[in-house]
Amino acid sequence: MGLETLHKHGWTCFAQDAKIAKWVAHVQPHAADIALNPAHIAAWLRYGGTWFAGVNILPNDLCGRLGTGPALAGKAVDFLTELHGPLALDQAQISVIYPGYPAHDGSESEAAHRYRHIRCAAHVDGLRPEGPDRRRYIQEPHQFVLGIPLVATSEQASPMVVWQGSHHIIRAAFKSVLDNVPGADWSRIDLTEVYHQARKKCFETCTRVTVLAEPGECYVLHRLALHGIAPWGEGAVAPTAGRMVAYFRPLNDCNLYDWLNGTY
């Protein structure tokens, strides 16, 4: 696993690392408190109480340090630093999934709920739907997605899933439109149709794989990889705190050319 795997499949994982484990040991209790905070629950608990979204909710610094705890370090950080330069991390998302995910609470349409259940709400980060027609534009050009599990769970406890090689399909689709447009205008280009067509092709031609990792391990996704979260499965094993993962998605300083064309 590593550079070749990230390029080929759009994701790679890193084995147990004492530095990551040390970071997790410090962060996990704070993350659990965040997910139980009534104000945060009101803002972030979704789908009938089965998902605490917690976007950018961990008050870490640019090095991933929370309070007096350790900075984020280890082989994965060395890997990302070599690819992207010194890390300037965003505040981590604390994503917590509970039994029953995704419960249908009326917050989204029947079609959207079916997609969430059948296709794991598969998406490419940074292309959030806008307006009543849910149009897609480049809003958040991330460098990468770094997932760090904070608790141990079984495979049935709503793991991340990735469509291997999907980043190549997504990139080609976006380039078919954006290569003909000045870079300064890219963020104003509606990519909805080409995105949906590319996503359909990914479902038809790419293998969906489950990404599993224990605390102390972590994984990196290519920013254009199609990915999602599987429904909570029968027999899932997880602590009462839920399936809890910290995600970092630092922005690419609005360099959209590198976001689209950069290999890694």
Coordinates of all heavy atoms in Angstrom, one line a residue, residues 137-217:
Y137 N -21.4 22.4 -8.1 CA -20.2 23.3 -8.4 C -19.0 22.9 -7.6 O -19.2 22.4 -6.5 CB -20.6 24.8 -8.2 CG -21.8 25.2 -9.0 CD1 -23.1 25.1 -8.5 CD2 -21.6 25.9 -10.3 CE1 -24.2 25.5 -9.2 CE2 -22.7 26.3 -11.0 CZ -24.0 26.1 -10.5 OH -25.1 26.6 -11.2
I138 N -17.8 23.3 -8.0 CA -16.6 23.1 -7.2 C -16.7 24.1 -6.1 O -16.5 25.3 -6.3 CB -15.4 23.2 -8.0 CG1 -15.3 22.3 -9.2 CG2 -14.1 23.0 -7.1 CD1 -14.2 22.6 -10.2
Q139 N -16.9 23.7 -4.9 CA -17.0 24.6 -3.7 C -15.8 24.5 -2.8 O -15.3 25.5 -2.2 CB -18.3 24.3 -3.0 CG -19.5 24.5 -3.7 CD -20.8 24.0 -3.0 OE1 -20.8 22.9 -2.4 NE2 -21.8 24.9 -3.0
E140 N -15.3 23.3 -2.6 CA -14.2 23.0 -1.6 C -13.2 22.1 -2.3 O -13.3 20.9 -2.1 CB -14.8 22.4 -0.4 CG -15.8 23.3 0.4 CD -16.4 22.6 1.6 OE1 -16.4 21.3 1.6 OE2 -16.9 23.3 2.4
P141 N -12.2 22.7 -2.9 CA -11.1 21.8 -3.6 C -10.2 21.3 -2.5 O -9.2 21.9 -2.2 CB -10.4 22.8 -4.5 CG -10.6 24.2 -3.9 CD -12.0 24.1 -3.2
H142 N -10.4 20.1 -2.0 CA -9.6 19.5 -1.0 C -8.3 19.0 -1.6 O -8.2 18.7 -2.8 CB -10.3 18.3 -0.3 CG -11.7 18.7 0.3 ND1 -11.8 19.6 1.3 CD2 -12.9 18.4 0.0 CE1 -13.0 19.7 1.7 NE2 -13.8 19.0 0.9
Q143 N -7.3 18.9 -0.7 CA -6.0 18.2 -1.1 C -6.2 16.7 -1.1 O -5.7 16.0 -1.9 CB -4.9 18.6 -0.2 CG -4.4 20.0 -0.3 CD -3.3 20.3 0.7 OE1 -3.3 19.9 1.8 NE2 -2.4 21.1 0.2
F144 N -6.9 16.2 0.0 CA -7.1 14.8 0.2 C -8.1 14.6 1.3 O -8.5 15.6 1.9 CB -5.7 14.1 0.6 CG -5.1 14.8 1.8 CD1 -5.5 14.5 3.1 CD2 -4.1 15.7 1.6 CE1 -4.9 15.2 4.2 CE2 -3.5 16.4 2.7 CZ -3.9 16.1 4.0
V145 N -8.4 13.3 1.6 CA -9.3 13.0 2.7 C -8.5 12.0 3.6 O -8.0 11.0 3.1 CB -10.6 12.3 2.3 CG1 -11.4 12.0 3.5 CG2 -11.4 13.3 1.4
L146 N -8.3 12.3 4.8 CA -7.6 11.5 5.8 C -8.5 11.0 6.8 O -9.1 11.8 7.5 CB -6.4 12.2 6.4 CG -5.7 11.6 7.6 CD1 -5.0 10.2 7.1 CD2 -4.6 12.5 8.2
G147 N -8.8 9.7 6.9 CA -9.7 9.2 7.9 C -8.9 8.5 9.0 O -8.1 7.6 8.7
I148 N -9.2 8.8 10.3 CA -8.6 8.2 11.4 C -9.6 7.7 12.4 O -10.3 8.4 13.1 CB -7.7 9.3 12.2 CG1 -6.8 10.0 11.2 CG2 -7.0 8.7 13.3 CD1 -6.0 11.1 11.8
P149 N -9.8 6.4 12.4 CA -10.8 5.8 13.3 C -10.4 6.1 14.8 O -9.2 6.0 15.2 CB -10.6 4.3 13.0 CG -10.1 4.2 11.7 CD -9.1 5.3 11.6
L150 N -11.4 6.4 15.6 CA -11.2 6.7 17.0 C -11.7 5.6 17.9 O -11.4 5.6 19.1 CB -12.0 8.0 17.3 CG -11.5 9.2 16.6 CD1 -12.3 10.5 17.0 CD2 -10.0 9.5 16.7
V151 N -12.4 4.6 17.3 CA -12.8 3.4 18.1 C -12.7 2.2 17.2 O -12.7 2.3 16.0 CB -14.3 3.6 18.6 CG1 -14.4 4.8 19.6 CG2 -15.3 3.7 17.5
A152 N -12.7 1.0 17.9 CA -12.7 -0.2 17.1 C -14.2 -0.7 16.9 O -15.0 -0.6 17.8 CB -12.0 -1.3 17.9
T153 N -14.5 -1.1 15.7 CA -15.8 -1.6 15.3 C -15.7 -2.8 14.4 O -14.6 -3.1 13.8 CB -16.6 -0.5 14.6 OG1 -16.0 -0.2 13.3 CG2 -16.8 0.7 15.4
S154 N -16.8 -3.5 14.1 CA -16.8 -4.6 13.2 C -17.1 -4.0 11.8 O -17.5 -2.9 11.6 CB -17.8 -5.6 13.6 OG -19.1 -5.1 13.4
E155 N -17.0 -4.9 10.8 CA -17.2 -4.5 9.4 C -18.6 -4.1 9.1 O -18.9 -3.3 8.2 CB -16.8 -5.7 8.5 CG -16.9 -5.4 7.0 CD -16.5 -6.5 6.1 OE1 -15.9 -7.5 6.7 OE2 -16.6 -6.4 4.9
Q156 N -19.5 -4.5 9.9 CA -21.0 -4.2 9.7 C -21.4 -2.8 10.2 O -22.5 -2.4 10.0 CB -21.9 -5.3 10.3 CG -21.7 -6.7 9.7 CD -20.5 -7.4 10.2 OE1 -19.9 -7.1 11.3 NE2 -20.0 -8.4 9.5
A157 N -20.5 -2.2 11.0 CA -20.8 -0.9 11.6 C -20.5 0.3 10.7 O -19.6 1.1 11.0 CB -20.0 -0.8 13.0
S158 N -21.3 0.4 9.7 CA -21.2 1.5 8.7 C -19.8 1.9 8.4 O -19.4 3.1 8.7 CB -22.0 2.7 9.3 OG -23.4 2.4 9.4
P159 N -19.1 1.1 7.7 CA -17.7 1.4 7.3 C -17.7 2.4 6.1 O -18.8 2.5 5.4 CB -17.1 0.1 6.9 CG -18.3 -0.7 6.4 CD -19.4 -0.3 7.3
M160 N -16.6 3.0 5.8 CA -16.5 3.8 4.6 C -16.3 2.8 3.4 O -15.8 1.7 3.6 CB -15.3 4.7 4.6 CG -15.0 5.4 3.3 SD -13.6 6.6 3.3 CE -14.5 8.0 4.1
V161 N -16.9 3.1 2.3 CA -16.8 2.3 1.1 C -16.2 3.2 0.0 O -16.5 4.4 -0.1 CB -18.1 1.6 0.6 CG1 -18.5 0.6 1.7 CG2 -19.2 2.7 0.4
V162 N -15.4 2.7 -0.9 CA -14.8 3.4 -2.0 C -15.0 2.6 -3.3 O -14.8 1.4 -3.3 CB -13.3 3.6 -1.7 CG1 -12.7 4.5 -2.9 CG2 -13.1 4.3 -0.4
W163 N -15.2 3.3 -4.4 CA -15.3 2.7 -5.7 C -13.9 2.8 -6.3 O -13.5 3.9 -6.7 CB -16.3 3.3 -6.6 CG -17.7 2.8 -6.3 CD1 -18.4 1.8 -7.0 CD2 -18.6 3.1 -5.1 NE1 -19.6 1.6 -6.4 CE2 -19.7 2.4 -5.2 CE3 -18.4 4.0 -4.1 CZ2 -20.8 2.4 -4.3 CZ3 -19.5 4.1 -3.1 CH2 -20.6 3.3 -3.3
Q164 N -13.2 1.7 -6.3 CA -11.7 1.7 -6.7 C -11.6 2.2 -8.2 O -12.2 1.7 -9.1 CB -11.1 0.3 -6.5 CG -11.0 -0.1 -5.1 CD -10.0 -1.2 -4.9 OE1 -9.3 -1.2 -3.9 NE2 -9.8 -2.1 -5.8
G165 N -10.6 3.1 -8.3 CA -10.3 3.7 -9.6 C -11.3 4.8 -10.1 O -11.2 5.3 -11.2
S166 N -12.3 5.1 -9.2 CA -13.3 6.1 -9.6 C -12.7 7.5 -9.8 O -13.2 8.3 -10.6 CB -14.4 6.2 -8.6 OG -13.8 6.5 -7.3
H167 N -11.6 7.8 -9.2 CA -11.0 9.1 -9.3 C -10.5 9.3 -10.8 O -10.5 10.5 -11.3 CB -9.8 9.3 -8.4 CG -8.7 8.3 -8.5 ND1 -8.9 7.0 -8.5 CD2 -7.4 8.5 -8.6 CE1 -7.7 6.4 -8.6 NE2 -6.8 7.3 -8.7
H168 N -10.1 8.3 -11.5 CA -9.7 8.4 -12.9 C -11.0 8.8 -13.7 O -10.9 9.7 -14.6 CB -9.1 7.1 -13.4 CG -7.9 6.7 -12.7 ND1 -6.8 7.5 -12.6 CD2 -7.6 5.6 -12.0 CE1 -5.8 6.9 -11.9 NE2 -6.3 5.7 -11.6
I169 N -12.1 8.2 -13.5 CA -13.3 8.4 -14.2 C -13.8 9.8 -13.9 O -14.2 10.6 -14.9 CB -14.4 7.4 -13.9 CG1 -13.9 6.0 -14.4 CG2 -15.7 7.8 -14.5 CD1 -14.8 4.9 -14.0
I170 N -13.8 10.2 -12.7 CA -14.3 11.5 -12.3 C -13.4 12.6 -12.9 O -13.9 13.6 -13.4 CB -14.3 11.7 -10.8 CG1 -15.3 10.7 -10.1 CG2 -14.7 13.1 -10.4 CD1 -16.8 10.9 -10.5
R171 N -12.1 12.4 -12.8 CA -11.2 13.4 -13.4 C -11.4 13.6 -14.9 O -11.5 14.7 -15.4 CB -9.7 13.0 -13.1 CG -8.8 14.0 -13.9 CD -7.3 13.5 -13.7 NE -6.8 13.8 -12.4 CZ -6.2 12.9 -11.7 NH1 -6.1 11.7 -12.1 NH2 -5.7 13.3 -10.5
A172 N -11.5 12.5 -15.6 CA -11.7 12.6 -17.1 C -13.0 13.3 -17.4 O -13.1 14.1 -18.4 CB -11.7 11.2 -17.7
A173 N -14.1 13.0 -16.6 CA -15.4 13.6 -16.9 C -15.3 15.1 -16.7 O -15.8 15.9 -17.5 CB -16.4 13.0 -16.0
F174 N -14.7 15.6 -15.6 CA -14.6 17.0 -15.3 C -13.7 17.7 -16.3 O -14.0 18.8 -16.7 CB -14.0 17.2 -13.9 CG -15.0 16.9 -12.8 CD1 -14.6 16.9 -11.4 CD2 -16.3 16.5 -13.0 CE1 -15.5 16.6 -10.4 CE2 -17.2 16.2 -12.0 CZ -16.8 16.2 -10.7
K175 N -12.6 17.0 -16.7 CA -11.7 17.6 -17.7 C -12.4 17.8 -19.0 O -12.1 18.8 -19.8 CB -10.4 16.8 -17.9 CG -9.4 16.9 -16.8 CD -8.2 16.0 -16.9 CE -7.4 16.3 -18.1 NZ -6.7 17.7 -18.0
S176 N -13.3 16.9 -19.4 CA -14.0 17.0 -20.6 C -14.8 18.4 -20.7 O -15.1 18.9 -21.8 CB -15.0 15.9 -20.8 OG -16.1 16.0 -20.0
V177 N -15.1 18.9 -19.6 CA -15.8 20.2 -19.5 C -14.9 21.3 -19.2 O -14.8 22.4 -19.9 CB -16.9 20.2 -18.5 CG1 -17.6 21.6 -18.3 CG2 -18.0 19.2 -18.8
L178 N -14.0 21.2 -18.2 CA -13.2 22.3 -17.7 C -12.0 22.6 -18.5 O -11.5 23.7 -18.5 CB -12.8 22.0 -16.3 CG -14.0 21.8 -15.3 CD1 -13.4 21.4 -13.9 CD2 -14.8 23.1 -15.2
D179 N -11.5 21.6 -19.3 CA -10.4 21.9 -20.2 C -10.7 23.0 -21.2 O -9.8 23.6 -21.8 CB -9.9 20.7 -20.8 CG -9.0 19.8 -20.0 OD1 -8.7 20.3 -18.8 OD2 -8.6 18.7 -20.4
N180 N -12.0 23.2 -21.5 CA -12.4 24.2 -22.5 C -12.8 25.5 -21.8 O -13.3 26.4 -22.5 CB -13.6 23.6 -23.3 CG -13.2 22.3 -24.0 OD1 -12.2 22.2 -24.6 ND2 -14.1 21.3 -23.8
V181 N -12.5 25.7 -20.6 CA -13.0 26.9 -19.8 C -11.8 27.5 -19.1 O -10.9 26.8 -18.6 CB -14.0 26.5 -18.8 CG1 -14.5 27.7 -18.0 CG2 -15.2 25.8 -19.4
P182 N -11.6 28.8 -19.1 CA -10.5 29.4 -18.4 C -10.6 29.1 -16.9 O -11.7 29.0 -16.3 CB -10.8 30.9 -18.5 CG -11.6 31.0 -19.8 CD -12.4 29.8 -19.8
G183 N -9.4 28.8 -16.3 CA -9.4 28.4 -14.9 C -10.1 29.3 -13.9 O -10.7 28.8 -13.0
A184 N -10.1 30.6 -14.2 CA -10.7 31.5 -13.3 C -12.2 31.3 -13.3 O -12.9 31.8 -12.3 CB -10.4 33.0 -13.8
D185 N -12.8 30.6 -14.2 CA -14.2 30.5 -14.3 C -14.7 29.1 -13.8 O -15.9 28.8 -13.8 CB -14.7 30.6 -15.7 CG -14.5 32.1 -16.3 OD1 -14.5 33.0 -15.4 OD2 -14.3 32.2 -17.5
W186 N -13.8 28.2 -13.4 CA -14.1 26.8 -13.1 C -15.2 26.8 -12.0 O -16.1 25.9 -12.0 CB -12.9 26.0 -12.7 CG -12.1 25.6 -13.9 CD1 -12.2 26.0 -15.2 CD2 -11.0 24.7 -13.8 NE1 -11.2 25.4 -16.0 CE2 -10.5 24.6 -15.2 CE3 -10.4 24.0 -12.8 CZ2 -9.4 23.8 -15.5 CZ3 -9.3 23.1 -13.2 CH2 -8.8 23.0 -14.5
S187 N -15.0 27.6 -10.9 CA -15.9 27.5 -9.8 C -17.4 27.9 -10.1 O -18.3 27.6 -9.4 CB -15.4 28.3 -8.6 OG -15.4 29.7 -9.0
R188 N -17.6 28.5 -11.3 CA -18.9 28.9 -11.7 C -19.5 28.0 -12.7 O -20.7 28.2 -13.2 CB -18.8 30.3 -12.3 CG -18.4 31.4 -11.3 CD -18.6 32.8 -11.9 NE -17.6 33.1 -13.0 CZ -16.4 33.6 -12.7 NH1 -16.0 33.9 -11.5 NH2 -15.6 33.9 -13.7
I189 N -18.8 26.9 -13.1 CA -19.3 25.9 -14.0 C -20.2 24.9 -13.4 O -19.8 24.2 -12.4 CB -18.2 25.3 -14.8 CG1 -17.3 26.3 -15.5 CG2 -18.7 24.2 -15.8 CD1 -18.1 27.2 -16.5
D190 N -21.4 24.7 -13.9 CA -22.3 23.7 -13.4 C -21.9 22.3 -13.9 O -21.9 22.0 -15.1 CB -23.7 24.0 -13.9 CG -24.8 23.1 -13.3 OD1 -24.5 22.0 -12.8 OD2 -26.0 23.5 -13.3
L191 N -21.5 21.4 -12.9 CA -21.0 20.1 -13.3 C -22.0 19.0 -13.0 O -21.6 17.8 -13.1 CB -19.7 19.8 -12.5 CG -18.5 20.7 -12.8 CD1 -17.4 20.4 -11.8 CD2 -18.0 20.5 -14.2
T192 N -23.2 19.4 -12.8 CA -24.2 18.4 -12.3 C -24.4 17.2 -13.3 O -24.3 16.1 -12.8 CB -25.6 19.1 -12.1 OG1 -25.4 20.2 -11.3 CG2 -26.6 18.1 -11.5
E193 N -24.6 17.5 -14.5 CA -24.9 16.4 -15.5 C -23.7 15.5 -15.7 O -23.8 14.3 -15.6 CB -25.4 17.0 -16.8 CG -26.8 17.3 -16.9 CD -27.2 18.5 -16.1 OE1 -26.4 19.4 -15.9 OE2 -28.3 18.6 -15.5
V194 N -22.5 16.1 -15.9 CA -21.3 15.3 -16.1 C -20.9 14.5 -14.9 O -20.4 13.4 -15.0 CB -20.1 16.2 -16.6 CG1 -19.6 17.1 -15.5 CG2 -19.0 15.4 -17.2
Y195 N -21.2 15.1 -13.7 CA -20.9 14.4 -12.5 C -21.8 13.2 -12.3 O -21.4 12.1 -12.0 CB -21.1 15.4 -11.3 CG -21.0 14.8 -9.9 CD1 -19.9 14.1 -9.5 CD2 -22.2 14.8 -9.1 CE1 -19.9 13.6 -8.2 CE2 -22.1 14.3 -7.8 CZ -21.0 13.7 -7.4 OH -20.9 13.1 -6.1
H196 N -23.1 13.4 -12.6 CA -24.0 12.2 -12.5 C -23.7 11.1 -13.5 O -23.8 9.9 -13.1 CB -25.5 12.7 -12.7 CG -26.0 13.5 -11.5 ND1 -27.1 14.2 -11.6 CD2 -25.5 13.7 -10.2 CE1 -27.4 14.8 -10.4 NE2 -26.4 14.5 -9.6
Q197 N -23.3 11.5 -14.7 CA -23.0 10.5 -15.7 C -21.7 9.8 -15.3 O -21.6 8.5 -15.4 CB -22.7 11.2 -17.1 CG -24.0 11.8 -17.7 CD -23.7 12.7 -18.8 OE1 -22.6 12.9 -19.3 NE2 -24.8 13.4 -19.3
A198 N -20.7 10.5 -14.7 CA -19.5 9.8 -14.3 C -19.7 8.9 -13.1 O -19.2 7.8 -13.0 CB -18.4 10.9 -14.0
R199 N -20.6 9.4 -12.2 CA -20.9 8.6 -11.0 C -21.6 7.3 -11.5 O -21.2 6.2 -10.9 CB -21.8 9.4 -10.1 CG -21.9 8.9 -8.7 CD -22.7 9.9 -7.9 NE -24.1 10.1 -8.3 CZ -24.9 10.9 -7.8 NH1 -24.6 11.7 -6.8 NH2 -26.2 11.0 -8.3
K200 N -22.5 7.3 -12.4 CA -23.1 6.1 -13.0 C -22.1 5.2 -13.6 O -22.2 4.0 -13.4 CB -24.2 6.5 -14.0 CG -25.0 5.4 -14.6 CD -26.1 5.9 -15.5 CE -27.0 4.8 -16.0 NZ -26.2 3.9 -16.9
K201 N -21.2 5.7 -14.3 CA -20.1 4.9 -14.9 C -19.3 4.2 -13.8 O -18.9 3.0 -14.0 CB -19.2 5.7 -15.8 CG -18.2 4.9 -16.5 CD -17.4 5.8 -17.5 CE -16.3 5.0 -18.2 NZ -15.5 5.8 -19.2
C202 N -19.0 4.9 -12.7 CA -18.2 4.3 -11.6 C -19.0 3.2 -11.0 O -18.4 2.1 -10.8 CB -18.0 5.4 -10.5 SG -16.9 6.7 -11.0
F203 N -20.3 3.3 -10.8 CA -21.1 2.2 -10.3 C -21.1 1.0 -11.2 O -21.1 -0.1 -10.7 CB -22.5 2.7 -10.1 CG -22.7 3.7 -9.0 CD1 -23.7 4.7 -9.2 CD2 -22.0 3.7 -7.9 CE1 -23.9 5.7 -8.2 CE2 -22.2 4.7 -6.9 CZ -23.1 5.7 -7.1
E204 N -21.0 1.2 -12.5 CA -21.1 0.2 -13.5 C -19.7 -0.5 -13.7 O -19.7 -1.7 -14.0 CB -21.6 0.7 -14.8 CG -23.0 1.2 -14.8 CD -23.5 1.9 -16.0 OE1 -22.6 2.2 -16.8 OE2 -24.7 2.1 -16.2
T205 N -18.6 0.2 -13.5 CA -17.3 -0.3 -13.9 C -16.3 -0.5 -12.8 O -15.3 -1.2 -13.0 CB -16.7 0.5 -15.0 OG1 -16.5 1.9 -14.5 CG2 -17.6 0.6 -16.2
C206 N -16.5 0.2 -11.6 CA -15.6 0.1 -10.5 C -16.0 -0.8 -9.4 O -17.2 -1.0 -9.2 CB -15.4 1.5 -9.9 SG -14.7 2.7 -11.1
T207 N -15.0 -1.5 -8.8 CA -15.3 -2.4 -7.7 C -15.5 -1.6 -6.4 O -14.7 -0.7 -6.1 CB -14.2 -3.4 -7.5 OG1 -14.0 -4.1 -8.7 CG2 -14.5 -4.3 -6.3
R208 N -16.6 -1.8 -5.7 CA -16.8 -1.2 -4.4 C -16.1 -2.0 -3.4 O -16.3 -3.2 -3.3 CB -18.3 -1.1 -4.1 CG -18.7 -0.4 -2.8 CD -20.1 -0.4 -2.5 NE -20.4 -1.1 -1.3 CZ -21.6 -1.3 -0.7 NH1 -22.7 -0.7 -1.3 NH2 -21.7 -1.9 0.4
V209 N -15.3 -1.3 -2.6 CA -14.5 -2.0 -1.5 C -14.8 -1.3 -0.2 O -15.1 -0.1 -0.1 CB -13.0 -2.0 -1.8 CG1 -12.7 -2.7 -3.1 CG2 -12.5 -0.5 -1.9
T210 N -14.7 -2.1 0.9 CA -14.9 -1.6 2.2 C -13.6 -1.3 2.8 O -12.6 -2.0 2.7 CB -15.6 -2.7 3.1 OG1 -16.9 -3.0 2.5 CG2 -15.7 -2.3 4.5
V211 N -13.5 -0.1 3.4 CA -12.3 0.4 4.1 C -12.4 0.2 5.6 O -13.3 0.8 6.2 CB -12.0 1.8 3.7 CG1 -10.7 2.3 4.4 CG2 -11.9 2.0 2.2
L212 N -11.6 -0.7 6.1 CA -11.6 -1.0 7.5 C -10.3 -0.6 8.2 O -9.2 -0.9 7.6 CB -11.9 -2.5 7.8 CG -13.3 -3.0 7.4 CD1 -13.4 -4.5 7.7 CD2 -14.4 -2.3 8.3
A213 N -10.3 0.0 9.3 CA -9.1 0.3 10.1 C -9.4 0.3 11.5 O -10.5 0.7 12.0 CB -8.6 1.6 9.6
E214 N -8.4 0.0 12.3 CA -8.5 0.1 13.8 C -7.9 1.4 14.3 O -7.1 2.0 13.6 CB -7.7 -1.1 14.4 CG -8.3 -2.5 14.0 CD -9.6 -2.8 14.7 OE1 -9.7 -2.4 15.9 OE2 -10.4 -3.5 14.1
P215 N -8.2 1.8 15.5 CA -7.5 2.9 16.1 C -6.0 2.7 16.1 O -5.5 1.6 16.4 CB -8.0 2.9 17.6 CG -9.4 2.3 17.5 CD -9.2 1.2 16.4
G216 N -5.3 3.7 15.6 CA -3.8 3.6 15.4 C -3.5 3.4 13.9 O -2.4 3.6 13.5
E217 N -4.5 2.9 13.2 CA -4.4 2.8 11.7 C -5.1 4.0 11.1 O -5.8 4.7 11.8 CB -5.0 1.5 11.2 CG -4.3 0.3 11.8 CD -5.1 -1.0 11.5 OE1 -6.2 -0.9 11.0 OE2 -4.5 -2.1 11.7

